[in-house]
Amino acid sequence: MKYIIVSFLLIATSLPSNAQWSKIADFVGTDGSATTNELITCIYFLDHPGPPRIGFVGSESELHKTTDGGKTWYSVWNNGRSYSGYYVTGICFKDSLIGWFSISNNFGITGDQCYKTTDGGESWKQLNVPNEYYSDGDAIYYDSCSNRLFLSLDKLIRISKDLGNSWSDSLPYAATTFSFNSCLYGISVTNFFPDTTFGYIVTSNGGLTWDTIHPKNRVGSYYVLAIAGTLTCFEADDLGGGGTKICRSDDFGRTWRVIAYFPSMQYCTGIIRGDFSRLTIQTDSGMYVSVDSGYTWTFDGGPTYITNFSNDYFYSAKGVTFAGMTYGNGADDGGGLW
């Protein structure tokens, strides 16, 4: 396949960051498990009409909530443990009251990977997920068409048909994210077992059944973005210090092509957010934005990223972006929410 390589449009990083970026919060563990700024592990806002207002930020030891678009935050859950190995990885909601978050649990405690709220995130109850203890990535998703909740664990995806009260089914894969273009059509980057190869699983019926895809020209990202109402998907592929590629599929993950390559960006989160009119990624230089469906990109300032947690460092929708800084002053630091 012929690859289209498009030069990456950069505004010199020596210029000041764009004025719309500002730090709005720092998170320090209120339970005494942390005394300095905590790294942010995920960001999520409910999809209500108007600008994003009700949202959540997971930090190394807690989950924080805002009801005013990020102006103020308060803690709604803390892990009660040493924060370095136990933190929120992904969040999803069924409606304004019922939601879930997944846990990366490196303490080896089976059954403790998912929590549920029935009061809009004011309080959370642990659910018993059998046999597994590890979850990572933005790998929890509720589908309204099938009324199924999907939770990716170490080597399988657990499925609940009753909003997380029981987990009767599973898939023999591990997913890093679920991305749906509607409540019927979804795609996930997947680790297949026992050969541990990567590919995709796709559904066209809300997750009732899944097909596997092993594209020959797979680009290698762990996260995929499905564009609503289309068969187009995007990936931002961090080459592990060798630059970053932006890749596009127009047949829902079956074939891919590189549409932009920028060798100077050594690290990115691997996550791409947005739609055809505005796409956003986060790199070790800051945020970059494309307004032409991913072909050219402009430096947007804002918080920087370098490898640490492998989760949702930023949220971008409705013209608003929230991002956590995980790199600054030459070393990893908390950096706060921007």
Side-chain angles (χ1 to χ4, degrees):
M1 176 177 289
K2 183 178 179 181
Y3 285 85
I4 302 173
I5 309 297
V6 180
S7 297
F8 189 69
L9 178 61
L10 297 177
I11 296 176
T13 57
S14 60
L15 293 177
S17 297
N18 291 353
Q20 73 267 25
W21 283 103
S22 61
K23 180 188 279 191
I24 62 171
D26 278 315
F27 299 106
V28 177
T30 59
D31 62 351
S33 63
T35 57
T36 59
N37 294 345
E38 294 188 357
L39 290 167
I40 289 169
T41 62
C42 70
I43 305 171
Y44 177 89
F45 278 81
L46 274 69
D47 186 17
H48 291 327
R53 294 189 58 80
I54 301 175
F56 299 86
V57 164
S59 65
E60 288 176 278
S61 71
E62 298 194 44
L63 182 67
H64 314 266
K65 180 179 178 180
T66 182
T67 58
D68 55 14
K71 294 179 182 178
T72 59
W73 297 85
Y74 56 95
S75 178
V76 292
W77 175 87
N78 69 74
N79 61 26
R81 293 178 170 88
S82 173
Y83 58 84
S84 60
Y86 189 97
Y87 52 86
V88 177
T89 57
I91 305 171
C92 68
F93 269 73
K94 173 183 180 291
D95 50 40
S96 60
L97 294 177
I98 299 174
W100 304 265
F101 67 74
S102 57
I103 284 286
S104 179
N105 181 350
N106 293 322
F107 289 90
I109 304 171
T110 59
D112 187 6
Q113 309 87 24
C114 187
Y115 285 71
K116 179 180 178 180
T117 182
T118 57
D119 58 10
E122 294 297 318
S123 62
W124 297 84
K125 178 182 178 181
Q126 178 184 327
L127 301 178
N128 183 36
V129 185
N131 300 330
E132 299 285 324
Y133 66 88
Y134 180 79
S135 68
D136 202 358
D138 182 20
I140 186 167
Y141 181 81
Y142 171 77
D143 187 85
S144 60
C145 282
S146 65
N147 194 37
R148 278 164 165 74
L149 179 65
F150 300 91
L151 173 66
S152 182
L153 302 172
D154 186 19
K155 293 183 179 180
L156 54 82
I157 298 170
R158 288 284 183 191
I159 303 171
S160 176
K161 301 175 184 177
D162 56 9
L163 305 182
N165 296 319
S166 64
W167 303 83
S168 56
D169 296 325
S170 63
L171 296 168
Y173 319 114
T176 51
T177 187
F178 296 101
S179 187
F180 278 66
N181 68 10
S182 67
C183 67
L184 290 175
Y185 290 87
I187 184 170
S188 173
V189 180
T190 305
N191 193 356
F192 294 100
F193 296 99
D195 59 1
T196 68
T197 59
F198 279 91
Y200 304 90
I201 55 172
V202 297
T203 182
S204 59
N205 54 20
L208 297 178
T209 59
W210 296 81
D211 295 323
T212 60
I213 300 175
H214 292 83
K216 293 182 179 180
N217 60 338
R218 183 181 180 273
V219 294
S221 176
Y222 293 96
Y223 298 87
V224 61
L225 170 68
I227 300 299
T230 76
L231 295 179
T232 298
C233 301
F234 290 95
E235 290 188 337
D237 184 16
D238 181 340
L239 302 179
T244 296
K245 294 186 296 186
I246 304 298
C247 304
R248 173 172 173 158
S249 170
D250 290 308
D251 53 13
F252 219 57
R254 287 165 176 79
T255 60
W256 292 86
R257 69 184 191 275
V258 179
I259 61 172
Y261 172 62
F262 34 105
S264 62
M265 299 299 103
Q266 297 300 297
Y267 296 98
C268 78
T269 62
I271 299 169
I272 186 167
R273 298 287 188 218
D275 52 31
F276 285 133
S277 64
R278 184 180 177 88
L279 294 168
T280 304
I281 63 172
Q282 186 178 19
T283 77
D284 54 344
S285 296
M287 311 297 294
Y288 285 82
V289 173
S290 172
V291 294
D292 62 359
S293 300
Y295 289 97
T296 59
W297 294 77
T298 301
F299 178 61
D300 195 45
T304 55
Y305 158 85
I306 198 169
T307 181
N308 201 299
F309 297 102
S310 299
N311 305 113
D312 271 347
Y313 296 105
F314 74 97
Y315 162 94
S316 186
K318 301 178 180 178
V320 179
T321 301
F322 295 85
M325 180 179 288
T326 65
Y327 184 73
N329 300 318
D332 286 333
D333 61 16
L337 181 71
W338 294 64

